[in-house]
Amino acid sequence: MRIYKATDYKDMSRIAANIIASQVVLKPDCVLGLATGSTPIGTYENLVAKYESGDLDFSAVRTVNLDEYKSLPRENDQSYYYFMHDHLFDHVNVKPENTYLPDGTKEDAAKECEKYEELIASLGGQDLQLLGLGHNGHIGFNEPAEDFAKGTHCVDLQESTIEANKRFFASADDVPKQAYTMGIGTIMQAKKILIVVSGEDKAETVAKAFFGPITPNVPASVLQLHPDVILVADEAALSKIPQ
Ligand code: GLP
């Protein structure tokens, strides 16, 4: 694993965007695995700026998102579909038909998850997968569990995740209780993984995930087994890793 130590959130976002931009320049029709949450917002802002300055062309890029809330209509401003359009897709020249997310409005979870897994395989898998890190060590919506889940599946969100995400909803009751997420296997098949982390509140989780034992109780710890992981984190998030 390579670690890039950023000074702060802004610096983290700039470095992460440079890595994604390099991927797009080197392989213009690459498959980018994308993430939501507050952490990658600055990264997307930097990518939009690179597109606007003429340095980046998304016209052949395909994207697959990690996850989506179950039962939330796409037009709901808290759906990840909405988020991706709001922060990236509507501001660059990616073709809408080349952007994919699990469809949370499809009630048949097994069918939708299987379809999503097949779709990713048909695209040839992710060249680069961007990830954020949940406070409990989750990646995508793979919550701490007894086992590492392999493929795209439906998850019951943990109380702590609902708590953490309620800031985006009117109340905790409005946060969907389930989501469709790529599995750990789906994430691990990416050729390259880029994980972005910011803030002291994640420092403990960063130390556990990347320097502690590999366990499904800390889902991100599985990344220690991937041959090409880049962690871009600010000083605060790296403040508890062993020196
Ligand atoms: C959500 C998303 C994750 C994200 C995590 C952390 O639950 N499903 O993909 O990484 O939260 O979010 P944040 O970056 O806002 O801390």
Side-chain angles (χ1 to χ4, degrees):
M1 182 178 58
R2 241 172 315 152
I3 303 180
Y4 282 93
K5 190 176 195 172
T7 44
D8 53 16
Y9 179 79
K10 202 172 157 207
D11 195 34
M12 176 206 78
S13 303
R14 186 184 58 81
I15 298 170
N18 283 342
I19 293 167
I20 297 171
S22 309
Q23 172 67 72
V24 174
V25 169
L26 287 173
K27 189 177 177 192
D29 63 344
C30 64
V31 176
L32 294 180
L34 298 176
T36 54
S38 50
T39 314
I41 291 177
T43 305
Y44 294 144
E45 281 170 4
N46 277 267
L47 288 175
V48 171
K50 285 176 191 296
Y51 164 72
E52 285 173 346
S53 65
D55 288 327
L56 217 45
D57 176 13
F58 288 87
S59 61
V61 168
R62 282 86 46 84
T63 71
V64 286
N65 261 80
L66 276 172
D67 48 10
E68 178 59 285
Y69 287 117
K70 182 156 186 250
S71 306
L72 211 56
R74 293 188 147 179
E75 56 279 8
N76 184 302
D77 65 4
Q78 291 312 321
S79 76
Y80 287 165
Y81 176 91
Y82 191 102
F83 175 104
M84 288 311 302
H85 281 266
D86 196 27
H87 291 288
L88 185 68
F89 298 159
D90 292 352
H91 309 286
V92 297
N93 65 337
V94 66
K95 295 196 177 101
E97 64 270 27
N98 284 344
T99 63
Y100 304 94
L101 289 98
D103 187 347
T105 64
K106 294 279 190 300
E107 280 303 313
D108 187 339
K111 200 167 155 199
E112 177 57 18
C113 293
E114 198 187 318
K115 199 173 130 206
Y116 198 64
E117 200 64 28
E118 282 169 10
L119 167 92
I120 298 170
S122 74
L123 296 173
Q126 313 93 308
D127 289 293
L128 182 150
Q129 176 67 55
L130 175 65
L131 296 176
L133 181 68
H135 284 101
N136 60 6
H138 75 220
I139 45 177
F141 266 134
N142 290 278
E143 300 280 34
E146 306 247 309
D147 302 296
F148 289 117
K150 204 171 166 283
T152 302
H153 60 291
C154 181
V155 278
D156 294 329
L157 301 181
Q158 288 198 345
E159 223 29 69
S160 63
T161 299
I162 292 173
E163 261 310 294
N165 288 353
K166 75 171 190 207
R167 63 202 149 123
F168 302 115
F169 291 84
S171 75
D173 286 344
D174 293 312
V175 184
K177 307 288 175 284
Q178 289 186 310
Y180 294 156
T181 182
M182 282 185 197
I184 294 293
T186 330
I187 294 170
M188 289 291 278
Q189 78 185 355
K191 294 183 187 77
K192 187 182 277 297
I193 293 180
L194 167 62
I195 179 158
V196 286
V197 196
S198 168
E200 230 233 290
D201 53 322
K202 299 248 176 99
E204 196 93 46
T205 312
V206 168
K208 271 198 214 156
F210 301 109
F211 296 89
I214 298 166
T215 159
N217 275 319
V218 184
S221 65
V222 77
L223 299 175
Q224 293 180 45
L225 298 174
H226 192 282
D228 193 358
V229 175
I230 305 176
L231 166 65
V232 182
D234 59 18
E235 282 169 13
L238 293 174
S239 59
K240 296 202 171 136
I241 63 169
Q243 290 313 306

